[in-house]
Each structure stands twice: as C-alpha cells, then as structure tokens.
Amino acid sequence: MATLTYVYADSTAVLGPLAQHAEPHSYDLCVEHAERLTAPRGWEVVRLTPEFSPAPPSRDDLLALADAVREAGRRTEPEPAPLPEAVGAVLNDAPRRGHLRVLRGEG
C-alpha cells in the first residue's frame, strides 16, 4: 500500500504511494505497517499520503496473473523411476484385470 524510503543523510523516513520501481533503501509496506510506522529517535517521518488506499488493478497485474496460471499449467509430474528388471518381468507376464495386475506369489 505504501513505500518507505530512508534518506540517511537527512535522518528522514519518507512514506509515500507504492513505488512502481525498486529503489535502494526503499521498502513496500502493507496498510497496517504503513499506518503504525515510527522512525528512530532524532529522525523525521514525512508522510506524502495521509491515507492509504489500494491501487486499482493494472495491466501488469493481469499479465502477472496470466503468467502464473500459464506456468502452473506447464508443470508436469516427474516420471516414476523405472522398476527393477526382475519386477518388470513379473508384471509384464502377470495377467491383467482392468487397471489391476495379478501377482503370483510363493505359496
């Protein structure tokens, strides 16, 4: 909801609207933390926005959501490890019933 930027040379913390680009010494805050912000003793807090309201959805938000959905759709489960040769031979020779296999046991 807000971006906090420190100006160390002036001992000032500036709290303003959410920044569009990342900057050194700047941090994005939620509403709760932006409203409760305090600065170290001897520092000044400059609030550029008295009230914090959510920004309307932007085209970037929609594209980020579409990319996340697209990426989730690409994920595939890893292929199971191949069975040891002896087990594979038993399974291939065993009669099948639908999706089940009958395994011959000893006894």
Side-chain angles (χ1 to χ4, degrees):
M1 293 311 223
T3 297
L4 170 66
T5 305
Y6 289 109
V7 183
Y8 291 97
D10 298 333
S11 298
T12 304
V14 179
L15 192 61
L18 196 59
Q20 297 296 319
H21 304 285
E23 297 288 333
H25 308 295
S26 67
Y27 306 91
D28 293 338
L29 302 176
C30 65
V31 172
E32 180 181 351
H33 287 101
E35 290 174 347
R36 295 179 31 204
L37 176 77
T38 60
R41 190 176 309 165
W43 281 57
E44 181 183 359
V45 177
V46 176
R47 294 178 187 271
L48 300 177
T49 306
E51 292 184 21
F52 301 101
S53 58
S58 70
R59 185 175 192 287
D60 291 340
D61 295 335
L62 183 59
L63 291 175
L65 180 59
D67 289 342
V69 170
R70 192 176 302 116
E71 185 63 31
R74 284 188 199 143
R75 292 190 184 134
T76 59
E77 294 296 320
E79 292 187 27
L83 296 172
E85 197 171 306
V87 173
V90 170
L91 290 178
N92 289 334
D93 293 342
R96 293 190 61 146
R97 294 191 180 174
H99 64 283
L100 302 175
R101 293 179 189 263
V102 178
L103 299 179
R104 294 185 189 102
E106 295 185 28

